[in-house]
Amino acid sequence: MIIVNDLKPGSNFEYEGNIYQVLNLALNKTAMRQMIVKIKVKNVRTGVINEMSFTGGDKVELAHVDKKVMQYLYDDGTSLVFMDNETYEQIEISKDRLTWEMQFMKPNDNVTVSMYESEVLGVILPDKVTLQITECEQAVKGDTATSAQKNAVLETGLSIKVPLFIQNGEMVVISTADGKYNGRA
């Protein structure tokens, strides 16, 4: 058990059967009242972000979320298959739980899989990934007065906007937080 006052951003705790990750913490203490602890949390299982309030001194159960580097092997139609790089053990994660992450992963990529007591919670992507452009519109000559952009499709099927100078077949860096172009590789 840990007192809510001692929680820090990034720490995980269990409360009412759910596992939460602390995103932000605010302590409010006035002279006439008990301390109020407001915590902005993310439900690790569902990804929903909430705000919770506790009184100072309340206790929650600390949750130890394990992170393991695994290799993404293939898509079997209903789930994605990952392999532990040390034990060669394979696990499957349902595709509907990884709809966002699938847009940034290609076979043989190493990703971090988070687990809690042998329950697979999800995949943690790196901040940026490098992917190849498979389809790209042609730039219109003379259309460079502003920061004009054109549509492009990446090797994973993700559609993004890129600057006009990017050509078909180039490697580009994509931010996994918002799925936007970040630069050339």
Side-chain angles (χ1 to χ4, degrees):
M1 297 292 267
I2 185 171
I3 299 173
V4 292
N5 308 15
D6 296 335
L7 290 173
K8 306 245 181 291
S11 57
N12 297 301
F13 67 94
E14 189 174 358
Y15 182 70
E16 294 179 347
N18 291 313
I19 303 166
Y20 297 101
Q21 179 181 24
V22 178
L23 300 176
N24 196 356
L25 184 94
L27 304 174
N28 185 1
K29 172 74 174 121
T30 58
M32 300 295 287
R33 298 178 40 198
Q34 261 189 317
M35 181 184 297
I36 302 292
V37 181
K38 290 194 178 203
I39 306 173
K40 187 174 184 181
V41 295
K42 176 181 176 184
N43 187 323
V44 179
R45 289 186 178 120
T46 62
V48 175
I49 295 175
N50 289 336
E51 193 165 296
M52 304 173 101
S53 292
F54 296 94
T55 56
D58 285 351
K59 293 184 178 182
V60 292
E61 188 69 38
L62 200 58
H64 297 285
V65 175
D66 296 323
K67 295 175 182 165
K68 228 179 215 188
V69 175
M70 298 184 119
Q71 184 179 24
Y72 167 50
L73 295 178
Y74 59 91
D75 177 354
D76 74 357
T78 58
S79 58
L80 303 179
V81 180
F82 296 87
M83 178 183 70
D84 188 330
N85 292 335
E86 296 170 8
T87 64
Y88 303 110
E89 176 186 338
Q90 293 184 6
I91 61 167
E92 294 182 6
I93 303 176
S94 176
K95 284 174 75 168
D96 58 341
R97 289 182 63 191
L98 300 176
T99 51
W100 177 255
E101 292 87 348
M102 284 175 25
Q103 301 177 91
F104 305 101
M105 296 186 307
K106 55 187 192 276
N108 300 324
D109 280 353
N110 284 330
V111 294
T112 304
V113 177
S114 60
M115 299 178 171
Y116 176 70
E117 295 178 353
S118 75
E119 174 193 355
V120 177
L121 298 174
V123 172
I124 302 170
L125 294 170
D127 292 336
K128 297 176 184 170
V129 294
T130 303
L131 297 170
Q132 185 175 17
I133 293 181
T134 56
E135 295 177 34
C136 193
E137 295 177 351
Q138 291 296 323
V140 178
K141 188 174 183 179
D143 194 12
T144 57
T146 61
S147 60
Q149 295 189 326
K150 60 184 179 177
N151 295 322
V153 179
L154 302 173
E155 60 187 306
T156 59
L158 177 66
S159 295
I160 62 168
K161 296 275 192 189
V162 295
L164 296 177
F165 59 83
I166 299 292
Q167 299 297 319
N168 199 11
E170 280 192 55
M171 300 295 282
V172 292
V173 178
I174 307 297
S175 168
T176 58
D178 57 8
K180 293 186 179 176
Y181 169 83
N182 210 286
R184 280 183 169 163

